[in-house]
Amino acid sequence: MNESDTEAILPGDLLGAEPTDDRGPEASDQKEAETEVPSRGASFPVSVEPVLFLSMFSIALQAPLATQYLWDRVSEDLGYNGSRGSECGNGSVPPDPLQKEVQTLTAHWNLYLSLGGFSVGLLVVPLLGSWSDLAGRRPVLVISSLGMALQAGVYLLVMYLRLPVGCFVVGRLLSGLSGDFNAILAACFAYVADVSDRRSRTFRVAVLEACIGISGMLASVIGGQWRRAQGYINPFWLVLATNLASALYAFLFVRESVPPDPRAKLLTARHHKAVWHLFRTGGGSREGGGGLQRGKLWLYTLCFFLVVAVHFGSRDLFVLYELSSPLCWGPALIGWGSAALHLAYLTSLLGLKIMQLCMEDSWVALVGLASNISGLVVFSVAYTTQLMFTGYGLCFLSMAATPVLRSKLSKLVGPSEQGALFASVACVESLCFLVGSGLFNSLYPATLHFMKGFPFLVASFILFIPAGIIGTLECLDQRINHRDSPGS
């Protein structure tokens, strides 16, 4: 393996690994000759970007509105008439026990929804991701978009017919069975890796990251204003429409990037066996020894798990934290807060590009973790709107750590193992949703009696673990490189 084979592979490389075929190179060459697919490095000004934009728009529009709807329905069921407004900004007023019960039940329903969707996705996403290496990326995009549309349809039925809020779980299960947003995200990055070369791939991945940030900001601002003006039902019709538009666009306009194999099977143990083999052997890259290689793979995966679990787990609490006293935000402010949260995707991307000019990737990740930790500490004591937005501002580099960790993982395995790594990272990311949501949605109601922002403080302490691991591994690598360098 030459030097170019072991160079850094960015998020697009990780999530979109080269398709592999167990039948050998001759069968692979024959299949490529029979099926015309886009060539690597071909020019596609727009390909899967609209799919990711529309899907992220629907997620960012739906999530805060669903939490607010749960709050209103739980308040109605308990006879809570919104007296939280009298407590806002007045620390002398004792907490309303009924409001505390509303917060607890709403947090629990958020937990049930997360458990329902992501526990199913934990099994489905790796299967769909590995299957797409043989069957093509487009079927995954269409199936997952339709599943998300089906979830929006279930939510609309609950709102129109005033069904029990427990029916929301049915929608989450249906979406999870189709792969949910994780499968769309993985398939989009995989598609970009298929049609781009190494020189253009960084820009294409940056465009996808920008789609996530921009669509999230737009949906957050629109959702808050629209909810205040017209309620919940009309915004959820837009959620349904965007998911259907995403599926239609993928079916009609996305050119397949992988030669489809009609014999490719989805339900097979081959996908999970490849993941197990990868983590048991430590990958086939020559970067480091076998034992050291395997140790790094596990440690960087642990870092990725902790960072993403904290991100998604704490994100579940923001709307609930802002709805209740002493902040008592309305839909408009909640929308602006969610927009500020999504802005970190863009600012982190810009900061990552600038910082890479003067420091190693590991130190870039540490700067991103420091930004995240400082923001979470401020959130834990944010009892005013000004402090809350200060926390959002401090998190402007909070998303810089995850692309570095993905790149680190991709360099630890060989080119033929990127597909297995892609499946494992998708599985870990689904598990992050499950564990993060479960931990923080359980911790929030349990700690309301002594410190409302305690879960954010716990999240900041957890991030010190990956910071320590990344810093230690970077120091060890520098020491090894210095020892092996000529003249040392």
Side-chain angles (χ1 to χ4, degrees), residues 48-49 52 188-189 192 203-213:
V48 293
E49 287 82 2
L52 185 58
C188 286
F189 278 107
V192 166
F203 176 74
R204 295 298 301 273
V205 169
V207 171
L208 286 179
E209 294 282 355
C211 287
I212 293 175

Side-chain angles (χ1 to χ4, degrees), residues 38-70:
S39 61
R40 183 172 296 279
S43 175
F44 290 98
V46 177
S47 55
V48 293
E49 287 82 2
V51 177
L52 185 58
F53 183 93
L54 290 170
S55 299
M56 183 62 203
F57 185 91
S58 70
I59 289 289
L61 183 62
Q62 171 182 289
L65 291 176
T67 300
Q68 293 177 73
Y69 181 81
L70 286 171

Side-chain angles (χ1 to χ4, degrees), residues 257-417:
S257 63
V258 174
D261 182 0
R263 295 173 296 177
K265 295 181 179 180
L266 173 60
L267 301 177
T268 171
R270 167 184 172 272
H271 310 306
H272 295 99
K273 287 180 180 178
V275 173
W276 167 247
H277 176 76
L278 176 66
F279 280 86
R280 183 173 60 85
T281 62
S285 172
R286 295 183 182 179
E287 190 175 307
L292 179 62
Q293 183 95 343
R294 184 169 60 251
K296 284 184 177 180
L297 194 64
W298 280 101
L299 287 173
Y300 280 128
T301 301
L302 174 62
C303 291
F304 182 84
F305 172 81
L306 292 174
V307 171
V308 177
V310 164
H311 172 68
F312 289 113
S314 59
R315 190 181 68 175
D316 274 354
L317 302 182
F318 282 127
V319 174
L320 195 56
Y321 190 82
E322 294 159 354
L323 275 171
S324 56
S325 63
L327 292 175
C328 302
W329 283 10
L333 270 178
I334 290 175
W336 285 111
S338 186
L341 189 64
H342 286 95
L343 182 62
Y345 282 94
L346 294 178
T347 54
S348 296
L349 185 64
L350 178 61
L352 176 67
K353 185 66 175 177
I354 295 173
M355 287 187 291
Q356 281 183 323
L357 300 176
C358 57
M359 62 178 68
E360 296 291 335
D361 284 353
S362 293
W363 308 127
V364 173
L366 291 179
V367 172
L369 290 173
S371 171
N372 203 350
I373 290 170
S374 61
L376 288 168
V377 170
V378 172
F379 288 139
S380 69
V381 293
Y383 297 114
T384 65
T385 296
Q386 291 80 1
L387 269 179
M388 198 68 190
F389 277 103
T390 299
Y392 283 127
L394 289 173
C395 286
F396 77 109
L397 292 175
S398 60
M399 301 304 298
T402 47
V404 171
L405 289 170
R406 286 170 172 154
S407 179
K408 291 282 188 184
L409 286 167
S410 68
K411 287 190 288 185
L412 290 172
V413 302
S416 63
E417 297 168 315

Side-chain angles (χ1 to χ4, degrees), residues 10-321:
L10 293 171
D13 304 79
L14 174 67
L15 293 180
E18 301 268 346
T20 58
D21 199 326
D22 292 338
R23 292 167 293 170
E26 294 181 1
S28 178
D29 293 340
Q30 181 180 1
K31 184 172 64 176
E32 288 181 3
E34 293 173 352
T35 308
E36 182 180 357
V37 296
S39 61
R40 183 172 296 279
S43 175
F44 290 98
V46 177
S47 55
V48 293
E49 287 82 2
V51 177
L52 185 58
F53 183 93
L54 290 170
S55 299
M56 183 62 203
F57 185 91
S58 70
I59 289 289
L61 183 62
Q62 171 182 289
L65 291 176
T67 300
Q68 293 177 73
Y69 181 81
L70 286 171
W71 176 286
D72 288 347
R73 284 291 301 271
V74 171
S75 298
E76 181 181 328
D77 293 342
L78 294 178
Y80 179 63
N81 60 4
S83 60
R84 63 188 175 93
S86 63
E87 304 168 15
C88 296
N90 189 353
S92 62
V93 177
D96 188 341
L98 200 55
Q99 184 198 117
K100 186 179 295 186
E101 188 174 357
V102 170
Q103 292 184 70
T104 301
L105 287 176
T106 305
H108 285 165
W109 276 117
N110 274 333
L111 171 60
Y112 302 150
L113 292 175
S114 297
L115 287 172
F118 296 115
S119 59
V120 177
L122 182 64
L123 299 175
V124 174
V125 172
L127 292 176
L128 287 174
S130 186
W131 177 64
S132 72
D133 286 338
L134 298 175
R137 316 297 183 193
R138 190 168 57 181
V140 175
L141 295 174
V142 174
I143 291 171
S144 299
S145 296
L146 290 177
M148 292 172 63
L150 194 58
Q151 174 187 325
V154 172
Y155 281 26
L156 280 169
L157 281 176
V158 173
M159 295 175 187
Y160 270 114
L161 303 178
R162 304 287 293 176
L163 299 176
V165 293
C167 295
F168 274 5
V169 178
V170 176
R172 292 296 297 120
L173 289 173
L174 292 173
S175 183
L177 285 171
S178 70
D180 206 63
F181 179 68
N182 273 352
I184 293 176
L185 186 67
C188 286
F189 278 107
Y191 187 97
V192 166
D194 294 335
V195 301
S196 63
D197 53 29
R198 291 185 181 275
R199 288 175 296 178
S200 64
R201 191 170 301 164
T202 301
F203 176 74
R204 295 298 301 273
V205 169
V207 171
L208 286 179
E209 294 282 355
C211 287
I212 293 175
I214 294 173
S215 61
M217 285 189 295
L218 287 176
S220 299
V221 174
I222 292 172
Q225 301 290 344
W226 202 354
R227 149 73 179 87
R228 184 172 60 177
Q230 296 185 349
Y232 295 103
I233 290 180
N234 287 341
F236 267 91
W237 274 112
L238 180 59
V239 172
L240 175 62
T242 52
N243 285 315
L244 291 175
S246 175
L248 187 63
Y249 176 89
F251 182 75
L252 295 178
F253 300 110
V254 174
R255 295 176 57 187
E256 187 54 77
S257 63
V258 174
D261 182 0
R263 295 173 296 177
K265 295 181 179 180
L266 173 60
L267 301 177
T268 171
R270 167 184 172 272
H271 310 306
H272 295 99
K273 287 180 180 178
V275 173
W276 167 247
H277 176 76
L278 176 66
F279 280 86
R280 183 173 60 85
T281 62
S285 172
R286 295 183 182 179
E287 190 175 307
L292 179 62
Q293 183 95 343
R294 184 169 60 251
K296 284 184 177 180
L297 194 64
W298 280 101
L299 287 173
Y300 280 128
T301 301
L302 174 62
C303 291
F304 182 84
F305 172 81
L306 292 174
V307 171
V308 177
V310 164
H311 172 68
F312 289 113
S314 59
R315 190 181 68 175
D316 274 354
L317 302 182
F318 282 127
V319 174
L320 195 56
Y321 190 82

